[in-house]
Amino acid sequence: MPLSGPFRVGLFPTGGAIPEDLQIGRSRVIEQITAHALGGQTQFLAEDRHLGKSSVLLAMVDRALGEPEPDCLVLSVDLRDGISSSRRLAQILLAQATQQNAGLKISGLAKRGALARLRQPARVGLAKAGELLGFQDEAAVVEAIGQALTPRDDTTLADALKALDARGHAANARTIIAVDEAQELATWEDSHAVQQCLATTIKRGESTVAFVFSGSEKHTVAALFETANAPLHGLGIRRSLPPISRDDWVTGLINRYDQAGIAIDPDTIHKILYYSHELPLPTMLICQHTLDWLEKDRVTAATVDQAINDARRHPSWDLPA
């Protein structure tokens, strides 16, 4: 049954990051970024605006959370969302870890009272965790991890990352931290110290913590990883968002309109893409406004003209006329 009324508007979302099922032409790059993150590779996305970086990051988080890897933690933060210090970042990361039952497997080890009979890989993991937290007795290591994962006002970012890494070794699991609007790191009072802390975690031998950074200020984000002598220099792989192919756009948009019982031909879609420069946000803006000017459930060239005029009045529209 075709969508109607307000449900049609949801076909062309324009507010913030959008889930993967509403993105067009991004499945392959999302799959690649997710696979590398699960493999422990730190990555960063430094691209121009309107390419959908935040949406790709959201999709990566959703995919990683859906992976069958046991006890994997997937944490995500937007540094423009009330986070302006390393201590606040530490508290949010640990709070999310706690919500994802971070201590579940470790608590299970303690309750079984069988630490001495664990398989060798598990014992090695606990030994590494004890090395990070300063304990040798396996039971004490388990207890220390549980305490370290509890967010407190005086918890530092170094403490939080060390706790997550220790938990990863003890549980034989990865922690992925997605950081959106990463350019904000450069504005913090303790920016250099924060970058050094992140670098220490990434460079630590056999670290179980991997980061995916993204930001809307291309050159600032790139500078964090590509400036000589910067703490994070050379520690992340740069990922690019390739242009969405014209074929993907045409097929995707025809299918999207069809879900709402709306007819549109390829030539009309080409007109939309010409004015949107084939960028995700402007394209969705125009498509959303076509819903206001339909001619008997059909998108025509005249419909697109009206929709473009409306889209250009949107605060985020910054393309040339």
Side-chain angles (χ1 to χ4, degrees), residues 19 25 38 59 67 77 82 91 94 98 100 104 141 153 158-159 168 178-179 216 238 248 251 253 256 306 315 317:
L38 289 169
E67 286 291 317
V77 293
Q91 292 167 1
L94 291 184
T98 300
Q100 291 183 31
L104 186 61
V141 172
D153 290 342
D159 292 337
V179 182
S216 57
R238 184 169 187 165
D248 281 346
T251 301
L253 290 176
R256 194 71 56 87
Q306 295 283 4
W317 186 279

Side-chain angles (χ1 to χ4, degrees), residues 250 253-254 257 262-272 298-301 304:
V250 172
L253 290 176
I254 286 177
Y257 278 107
I262 299 170
I264 187 170
D265 59 63
D267 287 341
T268 305
I269 290 177
H270 290 312
K271 182 174 184 176
I272 292 172
R298 185 173 191 85
V299 179
T300 66
V304 173

Side-chain angles (χ1 to χ4, degrees), residues 16-209:
I18 62 176
E20 184 176 355
D21 63 337
L22 290 177
Q23 297 183 50
I24 292 174
R26 289 296 191 215
S27 293
R28 180 169 176 77
V29 70
I30 292 168
E31 180 181 357
Q32 292 173 338
I33 291 172
T34 305
H36 281 88
L38 289 169
Q41 179 64 61
T42 287
Q43 306 160 82
F44 68 97
L45 284 164
E47 296 281 5
D48 292 321
R49 298 178 68 233
H50 300 327
L51 290 181
K53 296 179 295 299
S54 295
S55 295
V56 167
L57 198 64
L58 170 65
M60 183 279 296
V61 168
D62 288 343
R63 277 206 184 200
L65 283 170
E67 286 291 317
E69 182 177 339
D71 293 308
C72 177
L73 295 180
V74 187
L75 316 177
S76 62
V77 293
D78 181 336
L79 297 187
R80 283 187 175 173
D81 188 18
I83 304 174
S84 58
S85 71
S86 59
R87 286 188 184 273
R88 181 60 180 150
L89 175 58
Q91 292 167 1
I92 290 175
L93 291 176
L94 291 184
Q96 288 187 22
T98 300
Q99 289 174 0
Q100 291 183 31
N101 296 316
L104 186 61
K105 183 172 182 177
I106 299 164
S107 298
L109 294 175
K111 289 177 181 177
R112 284 200 299 271
L115 293 174
R117 298 190 297 276
L118 288 173
R119 291 180 293 107
Q120 187 63 20
R123 297 197 65 177
V124 170
L126 278 170
K128 181 66 175 179
E131 179 184 321
L132 287 167
L133 297 176
F135 293 87
Q136 292 183 342
D137 177 78
E138 290 174 339
V141 172
V142 172
E143 182 179 356
I145 291 172
Q147 293 177 352
L149 288 171
T150 302
R152 296 183 299 272
D153 290 342
D154 61 346
T155 301
T156 67
L157 182 59
D159 292 337
L161 294 178
K162 190 179 293 184
L164 291 169
D165 195 13
R167 184 264 177 193
H169 282 289
N172 190 28
R174 180 77 57 198
T175 295
I176 299 171
I177 302 176
V179 182
D180 202 9
E181 303 298 352
Q183 73 278 352
E184 296 300 310
L185 289 173
T187 69
W188 292 3
E189 286 187 14
D190 56 352
S191 174
H192 189 77
V194 170
Q195 292 178 54
Q196 286 183 320
C197 180
L198 295 172
T200 297
T201 301
I202 296 169
K203 290 190 291 187
R204 184 179 292 132
E206 301 177 355
S207 176
T208 63
V209 180

